[in-house]
Amino acid sequence: MPERAESPVPLVKMVEIEGRGRALVASLPLNAGQIVLRDSPILLYSALPLLASPQDARKNINFEYCSHCFKLISKEQPSPSFSCHYPGCSFSIFCSQNCQSLALSSSHTPWVCQALNQLRDGSSQLLQYPLDIQVQARFLVAAYNLAIISPSNFQTLLSLQGDAFTFISSPEAKDSVLFLHSLVSSLSSAPVNLSTFGLLFNVELTAALLAKDKLNAFGLMEPFSPDKERSVRAYGIYPMASFFNHDCLPNACRFEYIDAATADGSNVDMTVRVIHDVPVGQEICLSYFPVNIKYSERQKRLKEDYGFSCDCDRCKVEANWSDQEEDELDEGNPDDEKEEAMDEDDDEEMVAVDAGTVAQDETDFPHAYFFLRYMCNKDNCWGTLAPLPPSDSVISDVMECNVCGSLQSTKDVLDGNVLEQ
């Protein structure tokens, strides 16, 4: 994990951009690899299913995680964790006594423990529902618990993008909200007196909270393995990072160091670094998914998950491609695209593309150089590379992957070699 080197002047500022809403733009010239944001979550919750027994639950996941900080707990260790103190709670495990102690006063209060155990009961209808509904129930428990332990953070959650009306626009979504609200209402004790916030505990509030979760939650991923499909271990609401808009050729990417050894609990913090130089006033954008996904799939996911269609420069070009061209790109060898990008004879043009200053002709592949320079070449990774933070304004020639964690020199990236993980 890169050491903290905080700037006395914020490197990004929030602005309103017509057609894009609230966004973060560079308030100073940014160098490649510069950390533009460190953000702590106001709310974390597990992405694992609520199954009838801890044994069944552990058969259905690749790893075990701390129920507070979600750090990996090795299954090979004879006594890997500390358990919950509350009677009847056999699901919650903690990576250390410190995490256990912190959880009992924050993320795993007596009400949360009681509510989750009730939801796991064999007679609960929830267990018959798909995983996404079970995870939404986890979120609602965590959100209402947030109102108890941190009213200010609950107010922040309520201020984020997402409204009830849009969320329940389909009959299926409305049915899910009605079921989840009824489920939370049936819990043995009310989590909080919402009159403190001028709110009523009703279906509209439940729908609004679920909408904010849908549009703002970041997935914290399982450790990378080239032989296994990577799943989400937990979700987090990061209040400042939620203002980063999407671009299919982003100029920044986020890093998680969730399994790092830290003494202050900062392992769940999100770090965002720019991947190349960014001028003052330019919007800082992330990609909401791996950049190798083809146009039609990107548009489908953005519409279903976030409610918008993307018209970035890359999408404007790829919108004119045939289905066959899309499939060939999606299934092709990344090395082919690297060779295509390397056919450019003009080094100055490549540098200009790196800085995001050269307009692409509609017949070009706007992602070719991006794939060459900023996509990890490790098998089945598809992560994004960003330079390590600059030292004394000197840009590092070592690139770090935000998925597998491998370190690659700039030369090795171009040659297709992985240095270190």
Side-chain angles (χ1 to χ4, degrees):
M1 178 188 294
E3 294 182 2
R4 291 178 178 270
E6 307 295 347
S7 169
V9 178
L11 300 180
V12 293
K13 62 181 179 181
M14 189 188 304
V15 299
E16 288 279 345
I17 298 180
E18 185 176 357
R20 295 176 66 83
R22 290 180 290 187
L24 296 177
V25 302
S27 55
L28 296 172
L30 303 175
N31 295 324
Q34 199 158 1
I35 296 172
V36 296
L37 182 69
R38 292 185 189 272
D39 203 11
S40 300
I42 59 173
L43 183 151
L44 287 169
Y45 61 97
S46 174
L48 301 183
L50 284 160
L51 296 176
S53 73
Q55 291 75 24
D56 288 341
R58 292 177 180 125
K59 287 178 184 176
N60 284 273
I61 59 175
N62 295 330
F63 307 98
E64 288 184 331
Y65 305 104
C66 175
S67 296
H68 180 65
C69 77
F70 295 98
K71 189 178 297 183
L72 176 66
I73 297 175
S74 173
K75 291 182 178 181
E76 281 71 37
Q77 296 178 6
S79 300
S81 60
F82 295 83
S83 299
C84 175
H85 283 320
Y86 301 131
C89 181
S90 55
F91 284 83
S92 298
I93 56 175
F94 304 97
C95 65
S96 66
Q97 192 169 10
N98 183 54
C99 257
Q100 179 195 53
S101 176
L102 289 172
L104 299 184
S105 61
S106 57
S107 62
H108 196 72
T109 61
W111 180 79
V112 169
C113 185
Q114 183 180 20
L116 292 179
N117 281 329
Q118 190 172 340
L119 294 177
R120 290 189 185 102
D121 187 274
S123 62
S124 173
Q125 289 181 301
L126 180 62
L127 301 182
Q128 310 304 317
Y129 277 74
L131 172 60
D132 61 333
I133 302 298
Q134 297 184 37
V135 174
Q136 287 177 335
R138 282 187 181 272
F139 162 74
L140 289 172
V141 169
Y144 285 121
N145 180 64
L146 185 67
I148 303 172
I149 63 172
S150 180
S152 62
N153 281 335
F154 186 70
Q155 291 281 23
T156 298
L157 174 62
L158 293 175
S159 73
L160 298 179
Q161 184 181 2
D163 65 86
F165 178 77
T166 302
F167 187 76
I168 58 174
S169 58
S170 70
E172 295 81 5
K174 187 172 183 178
D175 288 344
S176 295
V177 170
L178 289 172
F179 168 71
L180 287 165
H181 181 73
S182 173
L183 193 71
V184 175
S185 301
S186 71
L187 297 176
S188 54
S189 60
V192 67
N193 181 4
L194 292 171
S195 62
T196 304
F197 306 95
L199 300 170
L200 295 176
F201 177 68
N202 54 25
V203 173
E204 288 73 20
L205 177 59
T206 295
L209 288 171
L210 289 169
K212 296 174 191 306
D213 175 55
K214 181 179 177 67
L215 295 182
N216 298 284
F218 287 86
L220 305 178
M221 305 303 292
E222 288 184 336
F224 171 77
S225 172
D227 304 320
K228 294 180 181 178
E229 184 177 354
R230 198 168 180 232
S231 300
V232 181
R233 69 174 84 177
Y235 290 98
I237 303 292
Y238 293 80
M240 279 300 295
S242 68
F243 296 120
F244 284 114
N245 285 323
H246 166 83
D247 196 289
C248 295
L249 289 180
N251 54 16
C253 60
R254 65 184 177 104
F255 288 84
E256 303 162 7
Y257 301 100
I258 193 168
D259 291 315
T262 60
D264 59 358
S266 61
N267 67 300
V268 294
D269 287 357
M270 180 191 299
T271 300
V272 177
R273 303 208 304 262
V274 290
I275 63 177
H276 54 67
D277 292 353
V278 175
V280 173
Q282 187 173 100
E283 185 180 4
I284 310 297
C285 293
L286 305 176
S287 176
Y288 291 174
F289 33 68
V291 296
N292 66 305
I293 296 177
K294 64 183 182 180
Y295 170 80
S296 58
E297 180 63 22
R298 297 198 309 271
Q299 294 292 346
K300 180 175 182 290
R301 289 177 62 171
L302 289 170
K303 192 66 176 177
E304 290 180 353
D305 294 345
Y306 302 99
F308 70 90
S309 299
C310 183
D311 64 348
C312 69
D313 291 343
R314 177 183 173 188
C315 285
K316 288 176 181 175
V317 172
E318 294 183 13
N320 298 317
W321 289 3
S322 67
D323 291 341
Q324 181 180 355
E325 286 175 310
E326 276 201 82
D327 291 338
E328 287 174 355
L329 172 65
D330 195 43
E331 298 171 4
N333 187 339
D335 291 336
D336 296 338
E337 286 142 13
K338 291 185 177 183
E339 290 173 8
E340 181 180 353
M342 288 301 290
D343 284 341
E344 298 287 348
D345 293 327
D346 191 345
D347 290 340
E348 291 183 357
E349 180 181 359
M350 295 184 73
V351 171
V353 172
D354 185 21
T357 59
V358 172
Q360 293 284 345
D361 185 85
E362 287 188 350
T363 60
D364 288 340
F365 295 124
H367 56 295
Y369 183 70
F370 188 98
F371 278 16
L372 166 70
R373 185 68 175 81
Y374 302 117
M375 179 175 281
C376 182
N377 52 41
K378 194 166 185 177
D379 289 346
N380 299 320
C381 176
W382 310 115
T384 302
L385 300 171
L388 293 178
S391 176
D392 297 327
S393 299
V394 177
I395 297 175
S396 174
D397 65 353
V398 177
M399 309 284 281
E400 180 183 13
C401 176
N402 71 339
V403 171
C404 70
S406 63
L407 300 178
Q408 308 171 37
S409 72
T410 302
K411 180 180 183 301
D412 283 322
V413 169
L414 301 179
D415 292 341
N417 301 319
V418 176
L419 272 181
E420 176 186 344
Q421 183 172 354

